[in-house]
Amino acid sequence: MARVYNFSAGPAVLPEEVLREAADEMLDYKGTGMSVMEMSHRSKAFETIIQEAEADLRELMNIPDNYKVLFLQGGASQQFAMIPMNLMKNRVADYIVTGQWAKKAYQEACIYGKANKIASSEDKTFSYIPDCSDLPISEDADYVYICENNTIYGTKFKTLPNTKGKPLVADVSSCFLSEPVDVTKYGMIYGGVQKNIGPAGVVIVIIREDLITEDVLPGTPTMLRYKIHADNQSLYNTPPAYGIYICGKVFKWLKKRGGLAAMKEYNERKAKILYDYLDESSLFHGTVRKEDRSLMNVPFVTGDAELDAKFVKEAKAAGFENLKGHRTVGGMRASIYNAMPIEGVEKLVAFMKKFEAENAKES
């Protein structure tokens, strides 16, 4: 059966080249006579896999030496608790709420201390990014938190908030490795990999060393301490070994394609094809303020729930999978991550044009 165009928000499309390589190595990884899935995480072969993955990620993102790279489990959602447990020394943190995941992170932080919602775009169904140039940053805040790209709502911070000297903590799950990033602007960057990097089950944390201390909130479990994982090179317990192996392959694929500057240019070209059509279409329209549009997640609607459902059904039959929008927005959403080829977007737009012609409202 031919592969479909998978527009899922996550777990999402992976590079075909990577999947083929993994398939070739499934039964025998580099002469070991076993799959990486069966391999001890203490073996020499796996040690090489995780070390190379970290080295390639450091190269791709220009990660400075004073930042640790951790490969963890529990998904991005576990970080909602792990961050305050480890970083909320004064029991105060400021949150900018621009979507469902930032809201959940904020609610979780409220369990551990005083979480202040200093900006939000909930008033317009998270369809924009608020002005964050001069926010009421709390004097005793331990950090300022954002979700940089909002998967559900299709918004992206184009300018990072002015944190007035406080460390910035950013969930980058759905824009990870989609463009160059200045790591030094953050205290911590993290994300689940199942959107833009690998299979579900791995979360990558990039954290400045001075934020990793023994001084954590009382009752913080051993497994939820950054220091434990940093001191043990992400091998304190059995890590999500196979997931890390695939991430490593994706890092090499990205390097081969020219790194993050090349990916940004490719992603901009892809997104432009879809946004240009949405801007001229009389049937479909985007739901996000233009200047805040994500390159990765593109929500759109017809304004008619029945027509939306018809479109999703017909698109699926034509080989375009997972276009149904999140229930809080409705309509459709095309996630066009790094591994989505440009032809996938071109063919989607061609299909949308055909659907529009067939379903044009009678004047």
Side-chain angles (χ1 to χ4, degrees), residues 186-244:
Y186 305 79
M188 173 178 155
I189 307 177
Y190 78 93
V193 303
Q194 72 276 10
K195 298 172 184 296
N196 218 14
I197 302 173
V202 185
V203 64
I204 296 173
V205 169
I206 300 159
I207 180 169
R208 215 171 58 214
E209 280 179 344
D210 61 290
L211 297 174
I212 303 171
T213 66
E214 299 275 12
D215 177 22
V216 296
L217 296 190
T220 298
T222 303
M223 276 298 292
L224 298 188
R225 298 176 185 217
Y226 292 128
K227 189 159 178 20
I228 290 288
H229 296 288
D231 289 350
N232 290 277
Q233 285 78 47
S234 302
L235 295 167
Y236 174 73
N237 70 325
T238 310
Y242 196 80
I244 293 167

Side-chain angles (χ1 to χ4, degrees), residues 5 7 13 257 266 270 337-346:
Y5 288 110
F7 292 93
V13 59
R257 298 208 39 166
Y266 188 64
K270 274 193 299 193
Y337 297 124
N338 284 346
M340 171 57 67
I342 208 157
E343 311 84 76
V345 181
E346 288 167 344

Side-chain angles (χ1 to χ4, degrees), residues 17 42 55 111 129 224 242 252 283 306:
E17 194 181 312
R42 306 284 178 209
I111 298 169
I129 297 290
L224 298 188
Y242 196 80
K252 289 195 187 303
L283 179 63
E306 277 181 31

